[in-house]
Amino acid sequence: MTAPLLEVTDLRTHFFTRAGVAKAVDGVSFSLAPGEILGLVGESGSGKTVTGFSLLGLVDPPGRIAGGSIRFDGRELVGLPAEEMRALRGQRIAMVFQDPQATLNPVLTIGTQMTLALQAHGRVSGRAAAERAGAMLTRVGIPEAASRLSNYPHEFSGGMRQRVAIAMALLNGPDLIVADEPTTALDVSIQAQILAEMKTLAKESGTALVWISHDLATVSSLADRVLVMYAGRIVESGPVGEVLRAPLHPYTRGLLDSLPAMAEPGQRLRQIQGAAPSLLALPPGCPFAPRCARASDICATPPPAVERAGRLALCHHPLDAAA
Amino acid sequence: MTDLVEAAGLTRRFDPRLSIGDRIAALFGAPVETRPVRAVTDVSFAIRQGETLGLVGESGCGKSTLGRMVAGILPPTSGGIRLDGAPVMERGRKTTTRIQTVFQDPFASLNPRRRIGATISEGPIAHGLITRVAAPAFVADWLARVGLDPAVAQRFPHQFSGGQRQRVAIARALAMQPDILVCDEPVASLDVSIQAQILNLFLDLRQALGLTCLFISHDLSVVRHVSDRVAIMYLGRIVEVGPAAEVYGAPRHPYTQGLLDSVPKLRLDANAVTFRPIAGELPSPLSPPPGCAFHPRCPRATELCRRERPALAPRPGGIEVACHHA
C-alpha cells in the first residue's frame, strides 16, 4: 500500500445562508492513492460537487469549510493561504468542469489560454508553451492540433471543447484531477471516446482522478473505487464492482434498482419513494430513513459505520444483515 | 393492429433568415451562411394503435424536430403526418387536439406566473372539454392521477421540484384527453431516483389510458425500457427501425451497433471494460456527406457508400435498415 496522495478526514463544508446552515458536506472522509480513479456518485444536492470544489479551495461565501482536514501529498490544504492554494491549483491539482463552454474564455484563442496556464506556473517561452500545448491537444485526440491553437472556443464542437478543457487540466502534469460531470453534457458516442481517453491518460501519466458523476454506469466502467453520497455524507464506499454487485446500503440498492437497465423492459421500476431531504432540515439520525423500506425506530439515531473487508456503509440495517 | 399515425416523406429545412444586406454581402463573397439546415430529410414511419415508438439519436440528429412535426407544432417543409387518415396540420395550423406533448425541461415548459391549476385546466376549457365550473374538480382529479396532492393547484411552478413539475406537465398534456402523447426527453433533466418515479408514472398512465406514444430520448436504456418499437436517427434520417428487442438484441446498422457499444454499461464483475467508441464526430447538417451520411465514421464503408445513399429496406425480424452492408 503506497502512501495516499490525498487524505480527506471529516470534511465539513457548510453554507451559512439566511434561511439557516446548509450542511452540503458533513463529515466526509476518504483517501486516494496515486494513479487511482475514484468515482463520486450521488444525486443533485448530495454534496458531490461541493466536495470536489472543497478539494480545490473553490468554495465561495456564504459557504466555507467549517471543519475537517484535506491532506494533499502531506500538506494541509484547509486554511492554506490563498496565494499558496493558487500556486497548487492548475499545477498539481487540476479541475475539469461539466460545461466546457463556461470553462474556456470565449475571447481568447485556446493557444493563448493554454500558454497563460503554463506561464502562470513557471518560466516558459511563448514558443515552448505553444509546442507543449499542441502536443497536449494531440494527446487528447484533437486532430491537426498545432493549427487549432489559433482557434477560439466557439470554433470547436462540444466534445472537442471538453477535450481542450481536459488538455488544459493535464498541461502541468498534475498529480490529481477533479472532474465534475465532465461527460454529462456530451453525446453517447463522444462520451465513450472521452472515457476511453481519460482511462488511458490516467494510466499512462499516473494521475489520480476524482470522477464526480450521477451516472452509475459511467463510474462503474471507469473507476477503481466508488463513494456513494447522500445528503452530504458518504453512505457507502468500496471497490466499484463489489459495491454495485452487492450493495450494503439501501440507498445504493435503490439507485441501482431505479435504472431501467436493471429491469425487464416495460415492467415497473423499483423506485425509491419520496425525494431527497432539504439540507436545511435534515432528519435526525440517518438522512435516508424517511425513504428507506428497512427503516426502524433505531434509524432516528446516527447510523454506525459498518465495515466489511475494505468496504464501508453508514447504516443501522446493512443489506447483508437480517432486516 | 392498425396504424394510428402515419408520416410520409417528412422533410424539414431551416433556411437562414437573411437580411437584404446579408444577401448582397453573400453575393460579393462575404462569409454569410446561406445554406439551409436539413434537420429532417424524407422520413416515413407509422405508429400503431396502442404502441410506443422510441426515437433515439444524438444531439442534432433531428429527433426533436421530428417530434415537433408529429405533435403539430412545426409545419414540415414537405411531406405530411396523418392521424387516422386526416392531416395533423393544415396550412401551418394544427387541426387536432388528439396529440399532446410533454417537453424535456419542466422549468421552461410551465408558465412561471400562472398557478398550476390554471395551467392544467386552460386547454380543456378553451376546447370545451370541461366547463369553468367543473375545472377545480377536474384539476384535482388529474393532480391525484399524477401523484400530486390536489391541494397544490393554487401553487406556482417555482414551488415544485423538477420531478413534481414534470408530473404537472404530464397532467397538463393528458388533461386534453389525447390519443397520442409525444414525449421529448421527458426524464433527461431528472435525477435517477426521480426518473424512475416518472417512468413508472408514464407506464401506469399509458396502460390505464391506452395511449399511443412517440418517446424521444438520447438515453438508450430508457428508450429500451418503454418502447415496443425503436427508430434510430442519424443526421436527419432513420437508419434503423424495428421491434425494440430486435434492434437492441441484434442491431444491423453499423451506427446502431456503435451507439450500443458506446453506452457505458453497469459493470458488475471485476473485469476491466474496453470502450469501443465510434470514431469521429457528427457531420454538420449544413453539409451532409454524399452517399450514406454515416460513411465517414463507418468501419465498413466502401466506395458504394460514398456514392449512393442506401434506402430503408425491410429485413427479417420486422426490422428495416438503411445500409448497403447490413
Side-chain angles (χ1 to χ4, degrees):
Chain A
M1 192 73 193
T2 43
L5 174 72
L6 179 73
E7 198 153 23
V8 177
T9 319
D10 198 26
L11 178 68
R12 293 165 193 279
T13 306
H14 296 174
F15 288 78
F16 299 87
T17 66
R18 255 188 289 174
V21 180
K23 297 176 178 175
V25 175
D26 199 29
V28 160
S29 305
F30 64 91
S31 71
L32 186 64
E36 191 181 14
I37 303 181
L38 183 70
L40 189 52
V41 179
E43 299 186 276
S44 348
S46 62
K48 56 189 193 303
T49 296
V50 176
T51 302
F53 275 37
S54 301
L55 297 181
L56 280 101
L58 291 177
V59 179
D60 285 328
R64 66 181 163 84
I65 295 178
S69 129
I70 303 171
R71 290 191 81 80
F72 173 73
D73 205 10
R75 211 161 146 203
E76 179 59 55
L77 298 190
V78 175
L80 199 67
E83 257 330 281
E84 289 178 46
M85 194 68 219
R86 259 181 90 107
L88 217 55
R89 207 187 292 136
Q91 167 86 353
R92 301 202 55 202
I93 310 179
M95 183 138 190
V96 180
F97 297 90
Q98 171 168 359
D99 183 3
Q101 185 104 46
T103 315
L104 301 170
N105 187 330
V107 298
L108 295 179
T109 66
I110 60 152
T112 308
Q113 296 186 49
M114 294 181 86
T115 305
L116 286 174
L118 279 166
Q119 288 176 339
H121 296 286
R123 289 171 65 90
V124 192
S125 75
R127 180 180 297 182
E131 248 165 53
R132 274 172 68 183
M136 193 53 79
L137 289 182
T138 309
R139 214 170 130 200
V140 296
I142 293 181
E144 298 161 54
S147 68
R148 303 223 60 178
L149 285 173
S150 56
N151 286 155
Y152 289 90
H154 76 266
E155 296 175 89
F156 291 83
S157 68
M160 283 296 165
R161 231 179 268 140
Q162 194 57 289
R163 277 170 219 252
V164 172
I166 291 169
M168 285 184 76
L170 288 166
L171 212 48
N172 285 305
D175 302 300
L176 171 66
I177 296 180
V178 179
D180 185 12
E181 303 261 11
T183 59
T184 304
L186 305 177
D187 275 317
V188 193
S189 73
I190 308 299
Q191 166 175 289
Q193 293 172 0
I194 296 216
L195 287 177
E197 273 153 26
M198 277 318 271
K199 205 164 185 168
T200 323
L201 287 171
K203 202 169 286 170
E204 279 173 4
S205 57
T207 305
L209 189 61
V210 175
W211 189 271
I212 301 171
S213 176
H214 70 283
D215 184 359
L216 285 167
T218 310
V219 167
S220 81
S221 52
L222 187 73
D224 305 311
R225 275 193 311 135
V226 64
L227 311 176
V228 182
M229 283 194 79
Y230 187 80
R233 292 162 217 199
I234 295 173
V235 295
E236 176 155 14
S237 65
V240 70
E242 292 173 36
V243 169
L244 298 185
R245 194 165 50 243
L248 291 172
H249 199 284
Y251 175 64
T252 316
R253 176 82 265 162
L255 267 187
L256 282 165
D257 287 340
S258 296
L259 296 176
M262 298 292 280
E264 281 297 305
Q267 296 303 305
R268 280 182 64 92
L269 301 164
R270 272 194 287 171
Q271 65 189 39
I272 308 176
Q273 297 300 335
S278 159
L279 292 172
L280 290 168
L282 287 177
C286 175
F288 186 61
R291 303 175 76 187
C292 184
R294 294 166 72 88
S296 65
D297 291 344
I298 197 173
C299 297
T301 62
V306 182
E307 269 194 80
R308 302 270 190 278
R311 298 176 56 184
L312 210 63
L314 276 187
C315 186
H316 284 292
H317 305 293
L319 288 162
D320 61 349
Chain B
M1 273 202 293
T2 51
D3 291 345
L4 188 62
V5 179
E6 259 180 295
L10 271 188
T11 299
R12 176 70 208 195
R13 275 185 1 193
F14 291 97
D15 292 299
R17 271 191 206 154
L18 297 178
S19 65
I20 300 263
D22 286 340
R23 267 176 235 200
I24 295 169
L27 225 65
F28 287 100
V32 177
E33 189 55 76
T34 55
R35 293 170 295 176
V37 174
R38 295 186 179 85
V40 174
T41 314
D42 193 20
V43 167
S44 302
F45 61 90
I47 310 176
R48 294 168 199 148
Q49 171 83 48
E51 83 169 352
T52 295
L53 177 68
L55 188 58
V56 188
E58 299 183 271
S59 32
C61 73
K63 56 188 191 301
S64 284
T65 303
L66 186 58
R68 295 171 89 89
M69 289 194 285
V70 172
I73 300 168
L74 186 73
T77 308
S78 64
I81 298 145
R82 290 177 171 273
L83 169 61
D84 269 343
V88 166
M89 291 188 93
E90 260 172 334
R91 269 171 262 119
R93 296 197 58 169
K94 190 174 172 184
T95 58
T96 175
T97 60
R98 291 174 63 197
I99 306 182
Q100 294 298 325
T101 314
V102 177
F103 297 95
Q104 168 172 1
D105 185 357
F107 291 77
S109 69
L110 299 174
N111 186 338
R113 305 181 60 169
R114 194 155 243 243
R115 298 181 197 276
I116 58 138
T119 293
I120 291 171
S121 61
E122 183 186 17
I125 292 174
H127 287 277
L129 298 177
I130 54 164
T131 59
R132 219 165 265 285
V133 183
F138 178 81
V139 167
D141 179 43
W142 272 108
L143 287 173
R145 291 180 87 159
V146 297
L148 291 172
D149 182 351
V152 302
Q154 292 305 311
R155 294 202 189 157
F156 290 97
H158 74 265
Q159 294 170 291
F160 294 90
S161 67
Q164 290 172 324
R165 280 182 221 208
Q166 205 56 301
R167 287 175 192 268
V168 174
I170 291 172
R172 174 180 60 179
L174 294 180
M176 286 299 293
Q177 294 156 29
D179 298 315
I180 298 144
L181 194 63
V182 175
C183 300
D184 189 1
E185 300 269 16
V187 295
S189 57
L190 305 176
D191 268 321
V192 182
S193 70
I194 307 302
Q195 170 179 303
Q197 295 173 1
I198 298 294
L199 285 177
N200 279 343
L201 175 68
F202 172 78
L203 293 174
D204 293 346
L205 288 171
R206 183 181 69 177
Q207 195 182 359
L209 303 171
L211 288 171
T212 302
C213 299
L214 177 65
F215 195 97
I216 302 168
S217 177
H218 71 284
D219 187 327
L220 287 148
S221 65
V222 169
V223 168
R224 171 77 184 97
H225 192 71
V226 301
S227 306
D228 302 304
R229 286 195 310 136
V230 175
I232 313 280
M233 273 189 93
Y234 188 76
L235 214 67
R237 292 172 194 273
I238 290 178
V239 296
E240 179 160 3
V241 56
E246 282 286 325
V247 173
Y248 279 76
R252 315 289 211 282
H253 198 285
Y255 176 63
T256 316
Q257 290 166 357
L259 204 56
L260 287 169
D261 281 345
S262 292
V263 182
K265 310 214 174 26
L266 207 56
R267 176 175 61 119
L268 297 180
D269 53 69
N271 298 331
V273 273
T274 46
F275 291 102
R276 280 167 295 168
I278 309 174
E281 300 210 14
L282 278 167
S284 162
L286 284 168
S287 54
C292 172
F294 188 58
H295 85 251
R297 302 174 77 185
C298 182
R300 289 152 75 181
T302 59
E303 192 47 43
L304 177 66
C305 307
R306 285 183 266 278
R307 213 174 48 234
E308 225 173 278
R309 197 185 48 247
L312 206 56
R315 306 290 155 97
I319 220 167
E320 286 176 79
V321 186
C323 179
H324 291 301
H325 302 292

